[in-house]
Amino acid sequence: MMLEIQHAIGPDNWVSGGNVVARREAIQNMFFDHPVCPEELEEDWPEDRQLYSEMVIVAGDRLVGTAMLVVDPEREDRPARIWGMGIDPEIRSEFVIRTLEEALIRAACLDPAYPFVEATDGALVPNPYSEFDLMLDGAPAFEL
């Protein structure tokens, strides 16, 4: 079985490539039926939550995974995190979870002000755009 990670928002996304309502419902059902972090099912969507990236995993025409990278400003200690991950038990593995998390982080182009993203296991993953910003700050200036 070949798995493919696709964007669920933005241009040329998986959702808009078919019946939008049915695909949005499938994403929601994947999260509610197969949550990686079941405690997230109890959370409401805060009014000030910001969605930075959303992706799906598909096996051919079948949706087998979904997740988002969100920023919750009221979570001052770790505002950026992976949230709403649902993965079909047939393909769920540490490798699939980490790969989807990495894809979400890269796709988010997260503000460098957020140095870390909280992964589904609670680990703090460095924001690659924050590191890039630090590299630029330390780069020598060249004058022409």
Side-chain angles (χ1 to χ4, degrees):
M1 168 180 9
M2 186 166 138
L3 302 177
E4 183 179 359
I5 296 176
Q6 296 186 17
H7 292 268
I9 57 174
D12 300 321
N13 68 73
W14 178 80
V15 174
S16 64
N19 180 323
V20 173
V21 173
R23 287 186 171 194
R24 273 281 151 214
E25 286 177 359
I27 288 172
Q28 186 172 340
N29 290 341
M30 182 61 60
F31 170 56
F32 283 108
D33 294 345
H34 306 291
V36 172
C37 299
E39 64 277 7
E40 292 176 354
L41 294 173
E42 304 302 316
E43 284 185 41
D44 290 326
W45 184 276
E47 192 173 301
D48 59 349
R49 177 174 282 168
Q50 302 159 14
L51 175 62
Y52 274 80
S53 62
E54 182 179 21
M55 303 189 110
V56 295
I57 303 173
V58 293
D61 292 334
R62 190 169 70 100
L63 177 70
V64 293
T66 184
M68 298 175 251
L69 191 152
V70 299
V71 170
D72 291 323
E74 78 279 353
R75 293 182 74 219
E76 294 175 15
D77 57 335
R78 295 182 311 264
R81 65 179 170 149
I82 305 298
W83 189 85
M85 185 178 287
I87 298 181
D88 188 309
E90 286 183 34
I91 66 145
R92 185 182 292 185
S93 69
E94 195 66 24
F95 174 77
V96 169
I97 291 169
R98 296 295 157 247
T99 302
L100 181 54
E101 288 176 337
E102 289 172 14
L104 286 161
I105 292 168
R106 279 194 212 95
C109 297
L110 195 60
D111 187 318
Y114 302 111
F116 297 99
V117 175
E118 183 180 3
T120 52
D121 65 358
L124 297 179
V125 180
N127 173 1
Y129 299 98
S130 183
E131 291 172 4
F132 182 72
D133 192 49
L134 291 174
M135 288 189 296
L136 288 179
D137 288 345
F142 295 100
E143 290 186 31
L144 299 175

